[in-house]
Amino acid sequence: MRIKNVGYQIFRPFLKIFVILFMCPKTIHKERIPKKGGIILAGNHLTKLDPIIVGNTTPRSLHFLSKKELLDIPTYGCYNLHGSLLPKYRGASPIQQSLINGDKVTGMSLMEMTKGMDEGDVFDIEAIEIEENDNNSSLFIKMADAAKTLILRDADKLVSGQLTRTKQDENLVTYCHMIKPEQEHIDFNLTATQILGWIKALSDVPGAYLYIEEIKYKIFKASIFSFDVTHEVGQIVKADKNGLVIQCREGQLSILEIQKEGKKRMDYKSFL
């Protein structure tokens, strides 16, 4: 059976991937379900959708799609494209978590949807190298490419039963939660390496931030300046044309791109 239609789009400004593979009559139309969730394909003939594949839409929409009465509709099942190499990072923020933890490799998993969160069998994965300059935005783009690769490689095999399913090893399961607004505030009691991971995970949107003299500054890019501890935690070590460096609990962080509240984003040399 051949694929009749594939929907594939990256939504800005948050670069959320949303993929739907479906086999259904042309009478199916787009509508928003739920209103505050990601866009899904549905219509008057929802019961004729065969199969459905979704990828990295909002948690609210995935909750809607994971209801048993919907999972049981398609003849060939419901499948998800999850932004990690399962069973690592089940949950709401797998892409950000890989950056926070300084992983070198991540990937996209094609999995069966079940009532349990990201617990379904895995059919295929596409590994992705995390490069030194990657952040949340660039990694989302890589994930979109990986999702497209999986769809084109596996869709026909999936519906014809040619793909082998692999159960997730419950002993290797890790979880990641939705990032809360208060976690966007940089905590200099972390190490320089940990803070760098958070900055990457929050760039370009929403952006990690700090306060200097009660003024909010967003930090979009940084690097490890040294692993020395020569000043109090959170103190500016130096601020000149050679660098804007802040002391962390372990190590010092060099700020490369910064944005003062109400101003434009700029490199540290323009800022100083």
Side-chain angles (χ1 to χ4, degrees), residues 151-206:
I151 289 290
L152 296 176
R153 183 168 70 209
D154 295 331
D156 289 324
K157 295 178 183 178
L158 187 66
V159 297
S160 62
Q162 297 178 46
L163 286 180
T164 302
R165 62 174 67 227
T166 302
K167 290 193 175 297
Q168 296 185 41
D169 187 341
E170 294 296 323
N171 294 318
L172 301 178
V173 171
T174 59
Y175 293 94
C176 56
H177 302 286
M178 188 176 294
I179 294 175
K180 299 177 181 179
E182 56 266 28
Q183 292 178 291
E184 298 164 13
H185 190 182
I186 297 174
D187 180 4
F188 284 98
N189 286 305
L190 299 175
T191 68
T193 301
Q194 290 172 324
I195 294 172
L196 180 59
W198 275 97
I199 291 171
K200 290 180 177 182
L202 295 169
S203 295
D204 296 294
V205 176

Side-chain angles (χ1 to χ4, degrees), residues 19-82:
V19 182
I20 290 236
L21 164 70
F22 61 97
M23 294 182 182
C24 56
K26 293 182 180 179
T27 54
I28 299 298
H29 301 290
K30 290 184 179 181
E31 59 179 312
R32 293 180 180 271
I33 302 176
K35 292 182 178 179
K36 294 184 179 179
I39 298 174
I40 72 170
L41 295 181
N44 296 329
H45 304 285
L46 180 62
T47 57
K48 295 183 180 180
L49 284 171
D50 261 338
I52 301 176
I53 296 183
V54 301
N56 286 77
T57 185
T58 64
R60 181 182 173 90
S61 289
L62 282 179
H63 174 72
F64 172 82
L65 287 168
S66 64
K67 292 182 178 179
K68 190 176 187 302
E69 56 268 31
L70 289 180
L71 294 176
D72 290 343
I73 288 174
T75 304
Y76 298 99
C78 295
Y79 305 91
N80 181 37
L81 288 159
H82 183 75

Side-chain angles (χ1 to χ4, degrees), residues 4 40 86 88 95 112 121 139 179 209 232 250 259:
K4 293 183 181 179
I40 72 170
L86 290 169
K88 191 174 186 179
I95 299 176
E112 184 176 32
D121 294 346
L139 198 50
I179 294 175
Y209 67 89
E232 293 293 324
E250 293 180 13
Q259 181 181 24

